[in-house]
Amino acid sequence: MSKTVLPKGMFLNKKSGIYYLRRANQKDLNLGKNYQQALINYYACSDVDFRPKNVADMIARYMQEVSPQKAEETHKSNLKSAKFLNHHLGHLVPESLNPRICRQYLLERSNNGAPVRGNREMSLLVAICTEAIDWGIYDFNPIKGVRRNKEEPRDREVTLEEIVIFKKFCPEWLQEYVNIKLMTGIRQADLLKLDSTKLRKNGLFVKPGKKGRKIEFEYEGALEACINKLKELNGYALHKSKSGMERVPLSRWFLFATSDRRKLKAYTPDGFRTMWHKAMKKALESGELEERFQERDLRSVAADLCETLEEAQVLLGHMDSRTTQRHYRRKTMKVKPNKLKI
């Protein structure tokens, strides 16, 4: 761990690995070994008064205490956003934050060619101000409801023919990943976490990382065949024996495991991204695939394969069908013209 500046009175006992709070005329208070939890315990102490000098102090606390508890990709995105927020707004005192300043910030980011990135940064700042209510800085969120920059939903319509071509250049496990994605529409972060404990008697169980209902996808021919193939690929570890290398069944295995012979590690988002780009590069260089598409486009293909909007909404686990319609149903609508006798 790189050197971290701890809040006033907090210190780390390097021998035990435990964080403590040192207070005058009192015994040192054990805050725990986990850094993020220690920070939470530190600020929960009644005699600790968090008085930020500026917005940068608020950002720093959120990034130390709250953001690391989020999903890995969310935390990475927050790190990028925090950098820009600190640069542009970090010098402000907390009391000066208001919708006008935030709207000016968003317009500036849009003028600099980053309207969507600006929206993500503002979402982080709103979340920080919400936490600041619990920190005793605000009575209410002073910037909630700030109008964001306009975002156009992605409209790349990927055909099944393009996907078939792409799969030809994928390793076997990635082919099965694509198949399961098209059948279920599960988000990448949730797919990569799937392990054998999610294979229930009647179906594949998924608890979305984002807010949403728990889903169990019923087994049917194609889905069950994909899972069985992945079990052959990743459900066994290689161990040396007197007769050579032996395949030993694993009690718990990841559906999308790395090439490590022990098969105990799932692909990280970065590792998966590397493998996806390698396969995509080969497909494009072959000349058979003419246009690049992204992994997230497959979720939209899954939605378009559904016959109705309602079916797509249920498949993707959306609470609101408008989200499904705006961001995931991309195929061209077929409409019959009115019959007219002239």
Side-chain angles (χ1 to χ4, degrees):
M1 179 186 294
S2 58
K3 188 175 181 180
T4 304
V5 179
L6 300 177
K8 184 179 179 180
M10 182 176 171
F11 70 95
L12 170 65
N13 184 312
K14 293 183 179 179
K15 186 175 181 180
S16 64
I18 297 175
Y19 291 91
Y20 289 92
L21 170 61
R22 178 157 291 170
R23 299 171 293 182
N25 303 319
Q26 296 185 52
K27 183 180 178 181
D28 291 344
L29 180 65
N30 185 329
L31 299 173
K33 289 189 174 183
N34 179 272
Y35 174 59
Q36 277 76 39
Q37 188 58 49
L39 281 171
I40 294 171
N41 295 337
Y42 170 86
Y43 287 114
C45 294
S46 59
D47 52 352
V48 172
D49 187 13
F50 177 61
R51 293 183 182 274
K53 296 177 183 178
N54 47 38
V55 171
D57 287 345
M58 294 166 52
I59 295 172
R61 178 174 175 180
Y62 185 93
M63 294 308 299
Q64 289 177 327
E65 181 182 330
V66 181
S67 185
Q69 310 297 327
K70 306 288 185 180
E72 182 182 350
E73 288 298 291
T74 302
H75 180 51
K76 283 185 177 181
S77 177
N78 285 348
L79 288 171
K80 294 179 182 178
S81 297
K83 180 179 178 181
F84 281 91
L85 289 174
N86 265 320
H87 180 70
H88 293 278
L89 303 176
H91 64 283
L92 299 175
V93 295
E95 294 77 16
S96 67
L97 275 184
N98 58 52
R100 179 178 58 81
I101 287 176
C102 292
R103 189 65 199 139
Q104 289 175 345
Y105 176 84
L106 286 167
L107 289 173
E108 183 180 347
R109 295 293 281 140
S110 181
N111 292 336
N112 290 333
V116 176
R117 190 66 241 172
N119 287 347
R120 303 298 172 267
E121 291 153 10
M122 190 52 53
S123 295
L124 174 61
L125 187 58
V126 170
I128 291 171
C129 290
T130 298
E131 290 291 330
I133 297 173
D134 289 340
W135 299 340
I137 300 169
Y138 298 126
D139 293 325
F140 57 89
N141 192 323
I143 60 172
K144 187 176 182 180
V146 172
R147 182 166 61 88
R148 304 295 204 274
N149 291 324
K150 186 177 180 181
E151 293 187 34
E152 292 296 331
R154 183 172 167 80
D155 63 356
R156 168 75 161 96
E157 188 176 341
V158 182
T159 66
L160 290 176
E161 289 76 16
E162 288 178 302
I163 294 172
V164 169
I165 293 171
F166 171 68
K167 283 170 58 181
K168 289 166 54 178
F169 301 90
C170 295
E172 197 170 4
W173 68 267
L174 187 51
Q175 293 177 21
E176 300 308 322
Y177 175 98
V178 172
N179 291 337
I180 292 179
K181 182 88 173 189
L182 294 178
M183 285 185 277
T184 65
I186 301 172
R187 293 181 179 87
Q188 180 193 125
D190 297 322
L191 266 176
L192 295 181
K193 292 177 183 176
L194 287 179
D195 61 26
S196 54
T197 64
K198 303 300 187 294
L199 304 178
R200 304 291 173 84
K201 182 178 180 181
N202 298 316
L204 173 63
F205 176 80
V206 179
K207 184 179 181 181
K210 288 192 173 183
K211 293 180 181 178
R213 298 170 180 169
K214 293 180 285 188
I215 304 173
E216 186 172 272
F217 295 94
E218 296 179 5
Y219 289 135
E220 47 75 42
L223 179 59
E224 195 166 13
C226 287
I227 290 173
N228 288 336
K229 187 172 289 187
L230 288 168
K231 184 176 181 179
E232 281 298 309
L233 290 171
N234 298 324
Y236 300 86
L238 295 176
H239 289 283
K240 290 182 179 179
S241 65
K242 293 181 179 180
S243 58
M245 299 302 291
E246 182 181 357
R247 275 166 46 99
V248 179
L250 294 169
S251 58
R252 177 174 178 255
W253 52 277
F254 289 97
L255 271 65
F256 305 106
T258 62
S259 57
D260 182 274
R261 74 177 188 180
R262 293 171 296 174
K263 301 292 184 182
L264 298 178
K265 293 182 180 180
Y267 271 100
T268 63
D270 286 341
F272 176 84
R273 196 175 295 115
T274 297
M275 298 301 292
W276 177 274
H277 288 326
K278 281 183 179 180
M280 182 61 67
K281 184 179 179 181
K282 290 179 181 178
L284 291 168
E285 288 178 346
S286 73
E288 294 185 60
L289 184 65
E290 297 181 355
E291 184 180 355
R292 181 184 302 274
F293 59 87
Q294 300 176 9
E295 187 277 345
R296 60 176 174 158
D297 292 325
L298 298 181
R299 188 163 157 85
S300 294
V301 177
D304 283 334
L305 288 173
C306 297
E307 292 187 5
T308 65
L309 175 61
E310 290 72 22
E311 288 179 7
Q313 179 190 351
V314 172
L315 181 77
L316 301 188
H318 290 151
M319 303 298 288
D320 191 334
S321 62
R322 288 175 295 183
T323 302
T324 315
Q325 180 63 54
R326 176 172 170 77
H327 296 284
Y328 294 97
R329 296 278 277 187
R330 298 179 186 172
K331 67 181 177 182
T332 304
M333 294 180 65
K334 305 295 184 182
V335 180
K336 291 183 178 181
N338 289 327
K339 293 180 179 180
L340 183 63
K341 295 181 179 180
I342 299 177

